[in-house]
Amino acid sequence: MSKRRSAALTEAQAVSLAQKLLRERLCHQKLPDRPVALDSQYKHLLELLRRTALHGESNSVLIVGPRGSGKTMLLGCVLRELMSLKDVQKNVLLVELNGLLQTDDKIALKEITRQLHLENVVGDKVFGSFAENLSFLLEALKKGDRSSSRPVLFVLDEFDLFAHHKNQTLLYNLLDVSQSAQTPVAVVGLTCRLDVLELLEKRVKSRFSHRQIHLFSSLSFGQYVDAVRSQLSLPPDFPDPTFSSEWNHSVTKLCEEKSIEEVLKRHFNGSKDFRSLHSLLFLAVSRASVSHATLREADLLEASRLISADSKANVLHGLSILELCLIIAMKHLNDTYDGEPFNFQMVHNEFKKFIQRKSHSIHKFEKPVVMKAFEHLLQLELVRPVDSGVCKVQREYQLMRLMLEHGQVMEALQRYPQCPTDVKQWALSAFA
Amino acid sequence: MTKPIRRRSSYEEDAFRCIRDNIPNGNIMSETPPCAGYPEDTLRSLAHRLPCREVQLKSLLSLMGQPDQYSYPSIFIYGHRATGKSHVVLSIMKDLELPHASVNCVECVSSGLLFHQVLSAFSGADAAALLPRCPSLSDFVRLYKQASSGSPAAQTRYIILDRAERMRDMDFGLLPALLRLQELVNDNVTVILLSEIVWEKFRPNTGCFEPLLFNFPDYSKAELVQILSQDHHPSYTPELYASYVNILLGVFFSVCRDLRELRHLAALNFSKFCEPLEKGEAKESDIHKLWKNIEPHLQRAMQTVYLREVSSMQWEQQQMDEKEATTLRGLSAHAHIELPYYSKFLLIAAYLASFNPARTDRRFFLKVHRSILISLLCVMSHVITNKQSLSLLQSHGKIRKTNFLKKHEKTSNHLLGPKPFPLDRLLAIFYSVVDSRVAPTASIFSQISSLVTLQLLSQVGHDDQLDSPKYKCAVSLDFILAISRTVGFDVVKYLYDFL
């Protein structure tokens, strides 16, 4: 694209281009040039995999960290750098497995043979039974030795799910190959469970090298804000330099804003992981449009409001008065009986007492109508049966628990549009 | 697809203007179409077809972005029933002609059906035919990748999962995998989940990719009036229909805020509302008169049609015949079942065993003992001052009873529900309530087990089927009263709660 044409980008085009770029960065988890604040882990992993790829050393390693802490991103960056070496690219075979997809060893084995392009694969069909497949694969792996055969990198995403397979056959065999002097393999497991080693059988555990890389976010708030700024900024090679400088300037200014700092602080205190930050920024970015090309303060505030909304409060807001009254009755039952489970009869009894004694605004409803309201609450899972599944008891005698906090009910009552006063007073009175 | 163009009446125009003006502006870009990349007139017609959902429409469109841009991997939309979740999403998809697969999770009894629907929607029936007989997620992702490598998505593809709460009951890994499908297949795909239940109830215990949460709020009363008065009757003025809707909401709004149900009720009862107009007893301006006519009718509708006691067809038929609305017997009036003589007594005995505490059995059912005592007293009374001793006996019983009642006032059994009882107790009570001598034949026992299959009794705990099984009675008081009336037995006299 020539310089002259790119300068002629209209504002709409520039906005859409910027959106496209930022969207890809935020939701498609595009790899950054270099992982932030993970240098030592990066070096460690790169060195390990390089030794397997170049020197034929067999390794096994686990990358452990909470969700959204950048495990896949770290591995992706390492693999990208590794593959950029010329002799590695030709030499190494990569096998990627995911515990969510390969739900048992048979499927995983099929996937391995497919990804290794082994001889018994014709077209896209795999022949042979599980036992045949396994012995074939093992033979192929065992025949090789350190010097001559191509190293294989096994990446096991959601490693803890592989530990739930029967007998952990796949893990045992992979780690066994990595322990004996056969084909060089590197087994890299990604997991979010800290106790993942406790899930492994003894024989599997003894074959694992106990090398673990922990990813715990050690960001300070200053770094967090820097990350926000860099995530939102447009890159220097953006085709419209005036637009991008304007955009970047607005982002810098935005990050210095007092209210924005408060919002970010709140999110930082909630969780340090990048993925929740990404969803916040995504919401803010998606609000930018032609009418206001740069990112505004209001966008980010609105996005934060959307993210931190209490969803149960939203559900409570949409209930009818009758359903709300039932919830208040349940709250009273919870208060008087110390959180014991209740059934519909008790709730109805409590509600009837209210209607007879105190209410002026609410009519008397027939019992089946109240039952229908109660079942709607059950459907919304605001109340939950104590022993689920057993539906042998009549509907009105099934024991239930309320799935709401005292505070949530009171707040919903405050926010409820046109709530009758006597209902409010009933909710506030300690004695029903 | 072109829709027939209908001339809108001036009233509707007003309604639309008032919808447009009612948008709480601030975060929303007001009049200008928010999203470049979509045809403007389609957007405008879309906004007109979705009244009171403009805010949601715009935010959804801005979340989705332009068709070639990436969208967030998964969006979770929640809101009450009939707040237009699937309607809005599907009309966006249809009108803007975006590639999408719409799947109802109730229909997908196995995950294979879901994969089949998604694949055939995106890449035709040929790709879907490649799925093996019991496809796993791995097969699905492989075939999806294969299909999309041939024709990569030029636009964001959307998978819309309606009633997503059913996903939790399907295979364990399915929901977490679908939430991060964009990453797994490495294609521009977005999964939209629609549900009534909040996201907190979905999260698996080891966590997953968190979707964006998006709420569809409930319709306010004014909005409901606006939407409902759109489908007014052609032979009457829209104002009349609007006032009818107002009356309807006055009766039903405190019970039901479900648009679909309200619309159904409005359609059912409108002919009754117009009756005085047709007869010439009232004019359109006599709202009060019309209200007086329809209000009791609507109250009756709440007890019948709203609860599906009477079907809509019966209700309409009844209005046509101009019968009194309560003459029809509803579904629940048919609850009476004809049972054999001994089964009736078995059921009565089971009810008594369930709702009376075991320690009161001696008092109620040792009638031989009691009658002997009383006859003895009577004999004695002939000899000495009878009244004193009788009253002594009665007052003694009374004192004990009131003590009991005070202590257990809160825990009436009719509030707590039936208690389980062993078979022996059932038979003991049965023998004491039934008059004639009954042999414990096989037929008696088979009647007990057939009462269980009829779900009038329910067996508690399955561990020992033959050896001293326990039962609960599963019928209501009304039912048992009706049964006992047919055999001339007064149950209430024997119930501890009603003493």
Side-chain angles (χ1 to χ4, degrees), chain A residues 16 23 27-28 67 98 102 114 124 279 286 311 314-315 317 319-320 322 343 346 372 379 381 392 397 416, chain B residues 62-63 66 69-70 78 80-81 138 142 168 200-201 206 215 218 254-255 257 306 414-415 417 459 462:
Chain A
S16 95
R23 274 167 178 273
C27 42
H28 196 50
R67 293 210 177 257
N98 192 320
Q102 281 77 42
R114 186 174 295 120
D124 212 73
S279 61
S286 70
S311 44
N314 283 335
V315 169
H317 186 271
L319 292 180
S320 66
L322 177 59
N343 59 27
M346 297 174 180
K372 190 165 174 174
Q379 205 172 34
E381 300 193 7
K392 279 180 162 180
Y397 290 126
Y416 195 81
Chain B
S62 72
L63 277 188
Q66 293 174 24
Q69 292 169 349
Y70 272 99
Y78 67 100
H80 278 275
R81 194 187 310 162
S138 177
R142 178 173 55 84
R168 298 176 298 175
E200 282 82 0
K201 310 259 175 190
T206 48
N215 182 32
D218 50 298
S254 56
V255 177
R257 302 177 76 178
Y306 175 66
H414 279 88
L415 214 56
Q459 197 168 359
H462 285 288

Short mmCIF file of all heavy atoms in Angstrom, two decimals, chain A residues 16 23 27-28 67 98 102 114 124 279 286 311 314-315 317 319-320 322 343 346 372 379 381 392 397 416, chain B residues 62-63 66 69-70 78 80-81 138 142 168 200-201 206 215 218 254-255 257 306 414-415 417 459 462:
data_model
loop_
_atom_site.label_atom_id
_atom_site.label_comp_id
_atom_site.label_asym_id
_atom_site.label_seq_id
_atom_site.Cartn_x
_atom_site.Cartn_y
_atom_site.Cartn_z
N SER A 16 -12.57 1.43 11.37
CA SER A 16 -12.85 0.01 11.22
C SER A 16 -11.56 -0.80 11.20
O SER A 16 -11.50 -1.92 11.71
CB SER A 16 -13.69 -0.23 9.97
OG SER A 16 -12.87 -0.56 8.89
N ARG A 23 -9.60 -5.88 17.89
CA ARG A 23 -10.44 -7.05 18.14
C ARG A 23 -9.62 -8.33 18.00
O ARG A 23 -9.76 -9.25 18.80
CB ARG A 23 -11.59 -7.10 17.14
CG ARG A 23 -12.78 -6.30 17.54
CD ARG A 23 -13.72 -6.15 16.39
NE ARG A 23 -14.89 -5.41 16.77
CZ ARG A 23 -15.97 -5.97 17.30
NH1 ARG A 23 -16.04 -7.25 17.49
NH2 ARG A 23 -17.00 -5.22 17.65
N CYS A 27 -9.65 -10.55 21.32
CA CYS A 27 -10.43 -11.77 21.48
C CYS A 27 -9.86 -12.94 20.73
O CYS A 27 -10.14 -14.07 21.11
CB CYS A 27 -11.90 -11.55 21.13
SG CYS A 27 -12.21 -10.59 19.73
N HIS A 28 -9.06 -12.74 19.75
CA HIS A 28 -8.50 -13.92 19.12
C HIS A 28 -7.18 -14.31 19.78
O HIS A 28 -6.52 -15.25 19.35
CB HIS A 28 -8.31 -13.69 17.63
CG HIS A 28 -8.10 -14.96 16.87
ND1 HIS A 28 -8.94 -16.02 17.02
CD2 HIS A 28 -7.15 -15.34 16.00
CE1 HIS A 28 -8.50 -17.01 16.26
NE2 HIS A 28 -7.43 -16.62 15.63
N ARG A 67 -6.31 -19.81 35.38
CA ARG A 67 -6.86 -19.53 34.04
C ARG A 67 -6.61 -18.09 33.64
O ARG A 67 -6.68 -17.19 34.46
CB ARG A 67 -8.35 -19.82 34.04
CG ARG A 67 -8.63 -21.27 34.20
CD ARG A 67 -9.90 -21.73 33.54
NE ARG A 67 -10.00 -23.17 33.72
CZ ARG A 67 -9.73 -24.05 32.77
NH1 ARG A 67 -9.38 -23.64 31.57
NH2 ARG A 67 -9.82 -25.33 33.01
N ASN A 98 -5.56 -31.92 23.24
CA ASN A 98 -6.31 -31.12 24.20
C ASN A 98 -7.20 -32.05 25.01
O ASN A 98 -7.93 -32.86 24.45
CB ASN A 98 -7.15 -30.08 23.44
CG ASN A 98 -7.73 -29.05 24.36
OD1 ASN A 98 -8.17 -29.37 25.47
ND2 ASN A 98 -7.71 -27.81 23.95
N GLN A 102 -9.73 -34.65 23.21
CA GLN A 102 -9.37 -36.07 23.24
C GLN A 102 -9.79 -36.64 24.59
O GLN A 102 -9.01 -36.67 25.55
CB GLN A 102 -7.87 -36.24 23.02
CG GLN A 102 -7.46 -36.13 21.56
CD GLN A 102 -7.43 -34.70 21.07
OE1 GLN A 102 -6.96 -33.84 21.78
NE2 GLN A 102 -7.94 -34.45 19.87
N ARG A 114 -2.57 -39.45 13.49
CA ARG A 114 -2.93 -38.55 12.40
C ARG A 114 -1.93 -37.41 12.30
O ARG A 114 -1.48 -37.05 11.21
CB ARG A 114 -4.33 -38.02 12.62
CG ARG A 114 -4.83 -37.19 11.46
CD ARG A 114 -6.27 -36.80 11.66
NE ARG A 114 -7.14 -37.96 11.65
CZ ARG A 114 -7.90 -38.32 12.67
NH1 ARG A 114 -7.90 -37.62 13.78
NH2 ARG A 114 -8.67 -39.38 12.59
N ASP A 124 -7.87 -40.20 5.11
CA ASP A 124 -8.04 -39.63 6.45
C ASP A 124 -8.55 -40.66 7.43
O ASP A 124 -9.02 -40.35 8.49
CB ASP A 124 -8.98 -38.44 6.37
CG ASP A 124 -8.60 -37.42 7.42
OD1 ASP A 124 -7.57 -36.76 7.21
OD2 ASP A 124 -9.30 -37.33 8.43
N SER A 279 -11.68 -8.80 28.28
CA SER A 279 -13.12 -8.67 28.03
C SER A 279 -13.58 -7.26 28.35
O SER A 279 -14.46 -6.73 27.68
CB SER A 279 -13.90 -9.72 28.83
OG SER A 279 -13.68 -9.54 30.19
N SER A 286 -15.42 -1.97 21.47
CA SER A 286 -16.53 -2.19 20.53
C SER A 286 -17.49 -1.01 20.52
O SER A 286 -18.32 -0.90 19.63
CB SER A 286 -17.27 -3.47 20.91
OG SER A 286 -17.97 -3.27 22.10
N SER A 311 -25.76 -10.43 38.17
CA SER A 311 -26.75 -11.00 37.26
C SER A 311 -28.00 -11.45 38.01
O SER A 311 -29.09 -11.42 37.48
CB SER A 311 -26.15 -12.15 36.48
OG SER A 311 -25.39 -12.97 37.31
N ASN A 314 -30.32 -8.64 38.31
CA ASN A 314 -31.04 -8.43 37.05
C ASN A 314 -32.22 -9.38 36.94
O ASN A 314 -33.28 -9.00 36.45
CB ASN A 314 -30.11 -8.67 35.86
CG ASN A 314 -29.18 -7.51 35.64
OD1 ASN A 314 -29.50 -6.39 36.04
ND2 ASN A 314 -28.03 -7.77 35.05
N VAL A 315 -32.02 -10.62 37.36
CA VAL A 315 -33.11 -11.59 37.28
C VAL A 315 -34.22 -11.21 38.26
O VAL A 315 -35.40 -11.26 37.92
CB VAL A 315 -32.58 -13.01 37.56
CG1 VAL A 315 -33.72 -13.98 37.74
CG2 VAL A 315 -31.71 -13.46 36.42
N HIS A 317 -35.04 -8.36 39.26
CA HIS A 317 -35.73 -7.17 38.78
C HIS A 317 -36.90 -7.53 37.88
O HIS A 317 -37.89 -6.81 37.82
CB HIS A 317 -34.73 -6.29 38.03
CG HIS A 317 -35.28 -4.97 37.62
ND1 HIS A 317 -35.92 -4.78 36.42
CD2 HIS A 317 -35.30 -3.79 38.24
CE1 HIS A 317 -36.31 -3.53 36.33
NE2 HIS A 317 -35.95 -2.90 37.42
N LEU A 319 -38.92 -10.14 38.08
CA LEU A 319 -39.96 -11.02 38.64
C LEU A 319 -41.27 -10.25 38.82
O LEU A 319 -41.27 -9.03 38.93
CB LEU A 319 -39.50 -11.52 40.01
CG LEU A 319 -38.33 -12.48 40.02
CD1 LEU A 319 -38.01 -12.88 41.44
CD2 LEU A 319 -38.64 -13.71 39.21
N SER A 320 -42.36 -10.98 38.87
CA SER A 320 -43.64 -10.33 39.16
C SER A 320 -43.76 -10.12 40.66
O SER A 320 -43.01 -10.69 41.44
CB SER A 320 -44.79 -11.18 38.64
OG SER A 320 -44.85 -12.37 39.37
N LEU A 322 -45.99 -11.13 42.74
CA LEU A 322 -46.32 -12.35 43.47
C LEU A 322 -45.06 -13.16 43.75
O LEU A 322 -44.84 -13.64 44.87
CB LEU A 322 -47.32 -13.17 42.64
CG LEU A 322 -47.73 -14.51 43.21
CD1 LEU A 322 -48.35 -14.33 44.56
CD2 LEU A 322 -48.69 -15.20 42.28
N ASN A 343 -40.74 -26.09 52.43
CA ASN A 343 -41.49 -26.56 51.27
C ASN A 343 -42.54 -25.53 50.89
O ASN A 343 -42.72 -24.52 51.57
CB ASN A 343 -42.09 -27.94 51.51
CG ASN A 343 -43.03 -27.96 52.69
OD1 ASN A 343 -43.62 -26.95 53.03
ND2 ASN A 343 -43.13 -29.10 53.32
N MET A 346 -45.22 -24.34 53.49
CA MET A 346 -44.80 -23.36 54.48
C MET A 346 -44.76 -21.96 53.88
O MET A 346 -45.19 -20.99 54.50
CB MET A 346 -43.40 -23.71 54.98
CG MET A 346 -43.29 -25.01 55.70
SD MET A 346 -41.56 -25.28 56.03
CE MET A 346 -41.63 -26.82 56.84
N LYS A 372 -47.89 -21.81 40.59
CA LYS A 372 -47.28 -21.54 39.29
C LYS A 372 -46.12 -20.55 39.43
O LYS A 372 -45.07 -20.74 38.82
CB LYS A 372 -48.33 -20.99 38.33
CG LYS A 372 -47.85 -20.93 36.89
CD LYS A 372 -48.98 -20.73 35.92
CE LYS A 372 -48.43 -20.52 34.53
NZ LYS A 372 -49.45 -20.45 33.50
N GLN A 379 -37.76 -22.84 38.26
CA GLN A 379 -37.20 -22.94 36.92
C GLN A 379 -36.02 -21.99 36.74
O GLN A 379 -35.07 -22.30 36.04
CB GLN A 379 -38.29 -22.60 35.92
CG GLN A 379 -38.07 -23.20 34.58
CD GLN A 379 -39.30 -22.97 33.74
OE1 GLN A 379 -39.96 -21.95 33.85
NE2 GLN A 379 -39.59 -23.91 32.88
N GLU A 381 -34.03 -21.35 38.97
CA GLU A 381 -33.04 -21.84 39.92
C GLU A 381 -32.74 -20.82 41.00
O GLU A 381 -31.62 -20.71 41.48
CB GLU A 381 -31.76 -22.30 39.20
CG GLU A 381 -32.07 -23.42 38.22
CD GLU A 381 -30.84 -24.13 37.71
OE1 GLU A 381 -29.75 -23.87 38.22
OE2 GLU A 381 -31.00 -24.96 36.82
N LYS A 392 -40.42 -38.07 43.99
CA LYS A 392 -41.50 -38.94 44.42
C LYS A 392 -42.46 -38.23 45.35
O LYS A 392 -43.60 -38.61 45.46
CB LYS A 392 -40.90 -40.14 45.15
CG LYS A 392 -40.41 -41.19 44.20
CD LYS A 392 -39.84 -42.30 45.03
CE LYS A 392 -39.71 -43.57 44.26
NZ LYS A 392 -39.16 -44.60 45.14
N TYR A 397 -44.70 -30.62 48.84
CA TYR A 397 -43.96 -31.02 50.03
C TYR A 397 -42.47 -31.21 49.77
O TYR A 397 -41.74 -31.71 50.60
CB TYR A 397 -44.55 -32.31 50.60
CG TYR A 397 -45.91 -32.11 51.20
CD1 TYR A 397 -46.99 -32.88 50.81
CD2 TYR A 397 -46.11 -31.13 52.17
CE1 TYR A 397 -48.25 -32.68 51.36
CE2 TYR A 397 -47.36 -30.92 52.72
CZ TYR A 397 -48.42 -31.70 52.31
OH TYR A 397 -49.65 -31.49 52.86
N TYR A 416 -36.70 -2.44 42.83
CA TYR A 416 -37.86 -2.93 42.10
C TYR A 416 -38.76 -1.77 41.69
O TYR A 416 -39.08 -0.91 42.51
CB TYR A 416 -38.64 -3.92 42.98
CG TYR A 416 -39.62 -4.74 42.21
CD1 TYR A 416 -39.19 -5.85 41.51
CD2 TYR A 416 -40.96 -4.41 42.17
CE1 TYR A 416 -40.08 -6.62 40.79
CE2 TYR A 416 -41.85 -5.18 41.46
CZ TYR A 416 -41.41 -6.27 40.77
OH TYR A 416 -42.29 -7.02 40.05
N SER B 62 -22.83 -3.83 18.07
CA SER B 62 -21.49 -3.31 18.28
C SER B 62 -20.59 -4.38 18.86
O SER B 62 -19.38 -4.39 18.61
CB SER B 62 -21.52 -2.08 19.18
OG SER B 62 -21.82 -2.46 20.49
N LEU B 63 -21.15 -5.32 19.60
CA LEU B 63 -20.33 -6.44 20.08
C LEU B 63 -19.89 -7.32 18.92
O LEU B 63 -18.77 -7.80 18.88
CB LEU B 63 -21.12 -7.31 21.05
CG LEU B 63 -21.21 -6.90 22.50
CD1 LEU B 63 -21.87 -8.00 23.28
CD2 LEU B 63 -19.84 -6.64 23.05
N GLN B 66 -18.05 -5.55 12.65
CA GLN B 66 -18.29 -5.76 11.23
C GLN B 66 -18.09 -7.22 10.88
O GLN B 66 -17.38 -7.93 11.58
CB GLN B 66 -17.33 -4.87 10.43
CG GLN B 66 -17.65 -3.42 10.61
CD GLN B 66 -16.64 -2.53 9.96
OE1 GLN B 66 -15.95 -2.94 9.03
NE2 GLN B 66 -16.53 -1.32 10.45
N GLN B 69 -14.62 -8.74 10.91
CA GLN B 69 -13.79 -8.62 12.11
C GLN B 69 -14.05 -9.79 13.06
O GLN B 69 -15.12 -10.38 13.05
CB GLN B 69 -14.12 -7.31 12.83
CG GLN B 69 -13.70 -6.10 12.07
CD GLN B 69 -14.26 -4.84 12.69
OE1 GLN B 69 -15.12 -4.90 13.55
NE2 GLN B 69 -13.77 -3.70 12.24
N TYR B 70 -13.06 -10.04 13.89
CA TYR B 70 -13.25 -11.07 14.90
C TYR B 70 -14.22 -10.57 15.95
O TYR B 70 -14.24 -9.39 16.29
CB TYR B 70 -11.93 -11.41 15.57
CG TYR B 70 -11.16 -12.47 14.86
CD1 TYR B 70 -10.13 -12.16 13.99
CD2 TYR B 70 -11.50 -13.80 15.05
CE1 TYR B 70 -9.44 -13.14 13.33
CE2 TYR B 70 -10.81 -14.79 14.39
CZ TYR B 70 -9.79 -14.46 13.53
OH TYR B 70 -9.11 -15.44 12.88
N TYR B 78 -28.55 -13.64 28.84
CA TYR B 78 -29.56 -14.16 29.76
C TYR B 78 -30.65 -13.13 29.96
O TYR B 78 -30.44 -11.94 29.75
CB TYR B 78 -28.93 -14.56 31.09
CG TYR B 78 -28.38 -13.41 31.90
CD1 TYR B 78 -29.10 -12.87 32.95
CD2 TYR B 78 -27.16 -12.86 31.61
CE1 TYR B 78 -28.60 -11.82 33.69
CE2 TYR B 78 -26.66 -11.81 32.33
CZ TYR B 78 -27.37 -11.30 33.37
OH TYR B 78 -26.89 -10.24 34.08
N HIS B 80 -35.24 -13.00 31.20
CA HIS B 80 -36.42 -13.80 31.50
C HIS B 80 -37.03 -14.38 30.23
O HIS B 80 -36.67 -13.98 29.13
CB HIS B 80 -37.45 -12.94 32.21
CG HIS B 80 -37.17 -12.82 33.66
ND1 HIS B 80 -37.59 -13.74 34.57
CD2 HIS B 80 -36.47 -11.91 34.37
CE1 HIS B 80 -37.20 -13.40 35.76
NE2 HIS B 80 -36.50 -12.29 35.67
N ARG B 81 -37.97 -15.28 30.44
CA ARG B 81 -38.67 -15.90 29.32
C ARG B 81 -39.40 -14.79 28.55
O ARG B 81 -39.90 -13.84 29.15
CB ARG B 81 -39.68 -16.90 29.89
CG ARG B 81 -40.25 -17.84 28.87
CD ARG B 81 -41.35 -18.66 29.52
NE ARG B 81 -40.90 -19.26 30.78
CZ ARG B 81 -41.75 -19.72 31.69
NH1 ARG B 81 -43.03 -19.63 31.52
NH2 ARG B 81 -41.30 -20.27 32.79
N SER B 138 -13.54 -34.33 19.26
CA SER B 138 -12.32 -34.34 18.46
C SER B 138 -12.65 -34.46 16.97
O SER B 138 -12.10 -33.75 16.13
CB SER B 138 -11.46 -35.51 18.91
OG SER B 138 -10.33 -35.61 18.14
N ARG B 142 -11.97 -31.63 14.08
CA ARG B 142 -11.17 -32.00 12.91
C ARG B 142 -11.93 -31.72 11.63
O ARG B 142 -11.40 -31.09 10.70
CB ARG B 142 -10.84 -33.50 13.00
CG ARG B 142 -10.06 -34.04 11.83
CD ARG B 142 -9.64 -35.46 12.10
NE ARG B 142 -10.76 -36.33 12.44
CZ ARG B 142 -11.54 -36.93 11.54
NH1 ARG B 142 -11.32 -36.76 10.26
NH2 ARG B 142 -12.54 -37.70 11.92
N ARG B 168 -25.53 -28.19 30.27
CA ARG B 168 -24.86 -28.66 31.47
C ARG B 168 -25.07 -30.14 31.68
O ARG B 168 -24.26 -30.81 32.32
CB ARG B 168 -25.39 -27.90 32.69
CG ARG B 168 -25.12 -26.43 32.61
CD ARG B 168 -25.75 -25.72 33.77
NE ARG B 168 -27.21 -25.88 33.76
CZ ARG B 168 -28.00 -25.44 34.71
NH1 ARG B 168 -27.49 -24.84 35.75
NH2 ARG B 168 -29.30 -25.60 34.62
N GLU B 200 -23.62 -17.93 36.68
CA GLU B 200 -22.98 -18.54 37.85
C GLU B 200 -23.33 -20.02 37.98
O GLU B 200 -22.56 -20.80 38.53
CB GLU B 200 -23.37 -17.82 39.13
CG GLU B 200 -22.66 -16.52 39.39
CD GLU B 200 -23.28 -15.37 38.62
OE1 GLU B 200 -24.27 -15.61 37.89
OE2 GLU B 200 -22.78 -14.24 38.72
N LYS B 201 -24.52 -20.38 37.49
CA LYS B 201 -24.96 -21.77 37.61
C LYS B 201 -24.35 -22.64 36.52
O LYS B 201 -24.59 -23.84 36.49
CB LYS B 201 -26.48 -21.85 37.52
CG LYS B 201 -27.19 -20.90 38.41
CD LYS B 201 -27.71 -21.61 39.63
CE LYS B 201 -28.31 -20.60 40.57
NZ LYS B 201 -28.60 -21.17 41.86
N THR B 206 -13.67 -26.71 37.38
CA THR B 206 -12.28 -26.32 37.16
C THR B 206 -12.18 -25.06 36.33
O THR B 206 -11.10 -24.71 35.85
CB THR B 206 -11.47 -27.43 36.46
OG1 THR B 206 -12.24 -27.89 35.36
CG2 THR B 206 -11.16 -28.55 37.39
N ASN B 215 -27.19 -8.91 29.29
CA ASN B 215 -28.51 -9.08 29.88
C ASN B 215 -29.60 -8.50 29.00
O ASN B 215 -29.45 -7.40 28.47
CB ASN B 215 -28.54 -8.41 31.25
CG ASN B 215 -29.87 -8.59 31.93
OD1 ASN B 215 -30.53 -9.60 31.75
ND2 ASN B 215 -30.27 -7.60 32.70
N ASP B 218 -36.18 -7.15 31.60
CA ASP B 218 -37.60 -7.41 31.42
C ASP B 218 -38.28 -6.18 30.83
O ASP B 218 -37.79 -5.07 30.94
CB ASP B 218 -38.22 -7.75 32.77
CG ASP B 218 -37.85 -6.71 33.81
OD1 ASP B 218 -36.65 -6.59 34.08
OD2 ASP B 218 -38.74 -6.00 34.31
N SER B 254 -49.52 -8.34 38.08
CA SER B 254 -48.87 -8.70 39.34
C SER B 254 -48.57 -10.19 39.41
O SER B 254 -47.83 -10.62 40.29
CB SER B 254 -49.76 -8.30 40.52
OG SER B 254 -51.02 -8.91 40.36
N VAL B 255 -49.11 -10.97 38.49
CA VAL B 255 -48.88 -12.41 38.52
C VAL B 255 -47.93 -12.84 37.41
O VAL B 255 -47.05 -13.66 37.61
CB VAL B 255 -50.22 -13.15 38.35
CG1 VAL B 255 -49.99 -14.63 38.29
CG2 VAL B 255 -51.13 -12.82 39.48
N ARG B 257 -45.56 -11.69 33.95
CA ARG B 257 -44.97 -10.64 33.12
C ARG B 257 -44.42 -11.23 31.85
O ARG B 257 -43.56 -10.66 31.20
CB ARG B 257 -43.88 -9.93 33.92
CG ARG B 257 -44.43 -9.37 35.19
CD ARG B 257 -43.40 -8.74 36.04
NE ARG B 257 -43.01 -7.45 35.52
CZ ARG B 257 -42.13 -6.65 36.11
NH1 ARG B 257 -41.58 -7.01 37.22
NH2 ARG B 257 -41.82 -5.50 35.58
N TYR B 306 -55.34 -19.47 32.60
CA TYR B 306 -53.95 -19.18 32.94
C TYR B 306 -53.28 -20.40 33.52
O TYR B 306 -52.10 -20.65 33.30
CB TYR B 306 -53.92 -18.01 33.92
CG TYR B 306 -52.58 -17.68 34.45
CD1 TYR B 306 -51.59 -17.19 33.61
CD2 TYR B 306 -52.28 -17.83 35.80
CE1 TYR B 306 -50.35 -16.87 34.09
CE2 TYR B 306 -51.04 -17.51 36.28
CZ TYR B 306 -50.07 -17.03 35.43
OH TYR B 306 -48.83 -16.73 35.92
N HIS B 414 -49.41 -31.37 58.26
CA HIS B 414 -49.91 -30.97 56.95
C HIS B 414 -49.09 -29.84 56.36
O HIS B 414 -49.28 -29.44 55.23
CB HIS B 414 -51.38 -30.61 57.02
CG HIS B 414 -52.25 -31.82 57.00
ND1 HIS B 414 -52.60 -32.49 58.14
CD2 HIS B 414 -52.79 -32.51 55.97
CE1 HIS B 414 -53.32 -33.53 57.82
NE2 HIS B 414 -53.46 -33.58 56.51
N LEU B 415 -48.17 -29.30 57.16
CA LEU B 415 -47.26 -28.30 56.64
C LEU B 415 -45.95 -28.96 56.24
O LEU B 415 -45.33 -28.60 55.25
CB LEU B 415 -47.01 -27.26 57.73
CG LEU B 415 -46.81 -25.83 57.31
CD1 LEU B 415 -47.99 -25.37 56.49
CD2 LEU B 415 -46.65 -24.96 58.52
N GLY B 417 -45.49 -32.20 55.47
CA GLY B 417 -45.57 -33.23 54.45
C GLY B 417 -45.60 -34.62 55.06
O GLY B 417 -45.45 -34.78 56.27
N GLN B 459 -42.73 -45.57 47.43
CA GLN B 459 -41.86 -46.36 48.27
C GLN B 459 -40.60 -45.55 48.59
O GLN B 459 -40.05 -44.88 47.72
CB GLN B 459 -41.49 -47.66 47.55
CG GLN B 459 -40.95 -48.69 48.50
CD GLN B 459 -40.85 -50.05 47.86
OE1 GLN B 459 -41.22 -50.22 46.70
NE2 GLN B 459 -40.35 -51.00 48.60
N HIS B 462 -34.79 -47.89 48.24
CA HIS B 462 -34.96 -49.10 47.43
C HIS B 462 -34.13 -50.26 47.93
O HIS B 462 -34.14 -51.32 47.33
CB HIS B 462 -34.58 -48.80 45.98
CG HIS B 462 -35.61 -48.01 45.28
ND1 HIS B 462 -36.82 -48.54 44.91
CD2 HIS B 462 -35.65 -46.71 44.92
CE1 HIS B 462 -37.56 -47.61 44.33
NE2 HIS B 462 -36.88 -46.49 44.34
#
